[in-house]
Amino acid sequence: MDKESAKRFEEAVTTILELIGEDPKREGLAKTPHRVFKAFKHMCEGYDMDPKKVLGDALFESSNDEMVLVRDIEFYSLCEHHLLPIIGRAHVAYIPDGRVVGLSKIPRMVNIFARRLQIQEQMTEQIADAITETIKPKGVAVVLEARHMCMEMRGVEKINSTTVSSALRGLFKSDAKTREEFMSMVNAPLRPRY
């Protein structure tokens, strides 16, 4: 973001502070517009990332044709309706078809889409589609479990309610045994870390 955009963003935050009855010049708030700008720049950096490029830079030939699962990937996003946090975990699996992707790219893929204004259902689909289109595996499965602060802090105020969404592609959608294996791996108890 250029300096002019940053200035406009900070002015907008100052206006919001004034409209809610605060004094943006008081000591505790004097630097808040700049801090909020920096926070949003970080929380929305996914718009500047190309998922296909990130995944495409780490594809490797492999004879493996068994499920690869990266589970319990923590993510933080912002609800596009209220700009309030979404806090959750992602479980992402794929079945290679001649190529595998570097394992660190799967959590990075989650972050790319989490760091955009989102709804959980859309984010789940975007992760699955990006992996499907780039790696071209035999199947992809994505499950997101998240708490939405727009439900907990306002509105119905249902604390600790969790939303679960899934996106299944290829074998995960067409083969019940593959889908069951994925779900049993996702739901298996955590073991002590190595």
Side-chain angles (χ1 to χ4, degrees):
M1 214 179 264
D2 61 29
K3 286 183 179 181
E4 180 59 31
S5 297
K7 180 181 175 206
R8 288 179 55 212
F9 188 102
E10 291 178 27
E11 288 170 351
V13 173
T14 300
T15 300
I16 290 169
L17 292 172
E18 291 169 345
L19 290 172
I20 64 169
E22 269 291 355
D23 175 8
K25 293 181 181 150
R26 74 175 172 84
E27 183 181 6
L29 294 176
K31 295 182 181 177
T32 294
H34 182 67
R35 289 185 190 111
V36 173
F37 166 72
K38 285 176 59 177
F40 268 79
K41 188 174 177 186
H42 174 74
M43 292 184 295
C44 296
E45 69 185 2
Y47 290 112
D48 297 326
M49 297 178 190
D50 180 355
K52 291 178 183 174
K53 183 173 181 347
V54 169
L55 287 174
D57 286 347
L59 289 175
F60 308 101
E61 287 186 26
S62 174
S63 61
N64 179 33
D65 64 354
E66 298 292 330
M67 186 185 314
V68 176
L69 167 65
V70 182
R71 74 177 220 183
D72 297 316
I73 304 165
E74 291 183 359
F75 70 86
Y76 304 91
S77 190
L78 291 173
C79 159
E80 69 181 30
H81 300 139
H82 305 96
L83 301 183
L84 290 172
I86 301 169
I87 303 164
R89 295 181 306 152
H91 314 288
V92 181
Y94 72 99
I95 300 172
D97 189 13
R99 299 188 303 175
V100 295
V101 68
L103 290 177
S104 69
K105 301 303 181 182
I106 300 295
R108 193 165 300 188
M109 192 60 32
V110 171
N111 272 348
I112 286 172
F113 292 110
R115 291 189 179 161
R116 298 176 181 190
L117 301 182
Q118 279 294 8
I119 61 171
Q120 180 175 333
E121 301 88 339
Q122 175 178 297
M123 182 178 155
T124 311
E125 297 283 327
Q126 289 171 333
I127 295 166
D129 289 343
I131 293 170
T132 300
E133 293 166 14
T134 307
I135 302 174
K136 301 191 184 339
K138 293 177 184 175
V140 174
V142 178
V143 169
L144 300 185
E145 305 171 45
R147 293 174 56 200
H148 294 250
M149 296 305 109
C150 58
M151 278 186 16
E152 294 190 29
M153 296 172 64
R154 54 160 304 283
V156 295
E157 295 184 22
K158 295 301 177 196
I159 296 172
N160 292 323
S161 60
T162 302
T163 301
V164 180
S165 57
S166 68
L168 305 173
R169 305 288 185 269
L171 287 177
F172 289 100
K173 191 165 194 152
S174 65
D175 184 64
K177 284 185 76 173
T178 302
R179 190 169 47 254
E180 287 170 18
E181 179 186 0
F182 167 70
M183 293 309 293
S184 70
M185 291 170 71
V186 165
N187 292 318
L190 286 175
R191 294 183 182 162
R193 300 287 179 198
Y194 299 100

